[in-house]
């Protein structure tokens, strides 16, 4: 496995551990990124765990994980913290691409059982908007986002994203269909 990949079962074990720690400390979080997509039938991920936090809860989440023995970092980007459970990386994200995680993002999330652990999972629309807005002109990797989106595209309510325009742009970039051609996700 390349150096930036982690066995999927190790990601899931760390997710259970970290979710339990944050739940016990009453720190609200959402599962985001590739694992949020996997929780709804998307492909396995081998990179990291993305946890989305309100900006006011991010430092407390980092402290909870540090107190439990995880190594933590405060990268210079200023919109996330990192924690490590051995070699498994956890991103504690509170301001992706300069857009703070807000109550509305939490409001669109749903409670799912993820590997037998109940937790709030970021709405797919928000996952894809976040993934695409994180891309920069010289670092475009649409392939990984397309691979995530295709298996779950019928679950996405494309117009419901952060704005109708952003959701439509994301939908068009990922699957090439008009939003009206896709079935609506169940409310």
């Amino acid at each position: 496995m390349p150096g930036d990949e982690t066995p999927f079962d190790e990601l899931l074990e760390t997710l259970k551990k970290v979710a339990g720690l944050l739940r016990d400390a009453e720190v609200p979080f959402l599962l985001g990124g590739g694992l949020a997509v996997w929780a709804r039938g998307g492909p396995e991920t081998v990179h990291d765990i993305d946890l989305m936090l309100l900006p006011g809860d991010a430092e407390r989440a980092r402290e909870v994980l540090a107190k439990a023995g995880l190594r933590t970092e405060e990268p210079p980007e200023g919109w996330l913290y990192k924690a490590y459970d051995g070699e498994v990386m956890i991103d504690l994200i509170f301001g992706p691409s300069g857009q703070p995680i807000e109550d509305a993002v939490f409001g669109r999330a749903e409670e799912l059982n993820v590997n037998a652990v109940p937790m709030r999972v970021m709405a797919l629309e928000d996952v894809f908007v976040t993934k695409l807005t994180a891309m920069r002109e010289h670092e475009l990797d649409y392939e990984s986002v397309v691979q995530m989106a295709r298996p779950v595209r019928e679950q996405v309510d494309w117009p419901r994203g952060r704005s109708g325009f952003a959701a439509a742009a994301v939908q068009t970039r990922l699957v090439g269909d008009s939003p009206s051609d896709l079935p609506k996700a169940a409310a």
Side-chain angles (χ1 to χ4, degrees):
M1 239 181 214
D4 64 343
E5 294 186 3
T6 303
F8 188 66
D9 61 330
E10 289 181 27
L11 286 174
L12 292 178
E13 285 305 309
T14 293
L15 176 61
K16 279 184 179 184
K17 176 181 181 176
V18 170
L21 290 167
L22 294 176
R23 182 185 57 240
D24 291 349
E26 298 182 2
V27 177
F29 70 93
L30 302 177
L31 179 61
L35 282 173
V37 176
W38 173 80
R40 292 181 174 90
E44 292 182 359
T45 182
V46 293
H47 184 59
D48 63 4
I49 298 169
D50 291 336
L51 299 181
M52 314 311 264
L53 299 139
L54 295 169
D57 293 326
E59 177 62 27
R60 190 163 54 107
R62 189 193 66 74
E63 290 170 357
V64 165
L65 299 183
K67 188 174 180 181
L70 279 72
R71 180 173 51 92
T72 64
E73 294 178 1
E74 296 182 40
E77 292 92 333
W79 53 268
L80 84 161
Y81 297 127
K82 292 188 176 286
Y84 296 87
D85 181 28
E87 296 300 313
V88 178
M89 182 172 57
I90 304 107
D91 286 339
L92 303 171
I93 300 170
F94 52 91
S97 301
Q99 302 173 19
I101 299 297
E102 301 170 336
D103 289 332
V105 176
F106 273 74
R108 289 188 294 270
E110 61 183 314
E111 181 93 8
L112 297 175
N113 281 320
V114 181
N115 201 34
V117 177
M119 66 183 73
R120 306 236 348 122
V121 179
M122 191 177 204
L124 288 171
E125 299 84 13
D126 289 325
V127 171
F128 295 129
V129 168
T130 301
K131 289 273 184 200
L132 287 175
T133 57
M135 291 183 186
R136 299 290 176 247
E137 186 175 330
H138 298 289
E139 301 170 1
L140 295 176
D141 178 17
Y142 291 116
E143 182 180 351
S144 66
V145 181
V146 169
Q147 288 174 353
M148 276 197 294
R150 284 206 181 270
V152 297
R153 68 181 180 259
E154 292 181 5
Q155 298 176 52
V156 178
D157 184 355
W158 295 105
R160 190 187 88 175
R162 291 196 177 171
S163 72
F165 176 80
V170 169
Q171 186 273 328
T172 301
R173 283 183 175 175
L174 294 180
V175 294
D177 300 318
S178 135
S180 61
D181 294 340
L182 294 174
K184 296 290 182 221

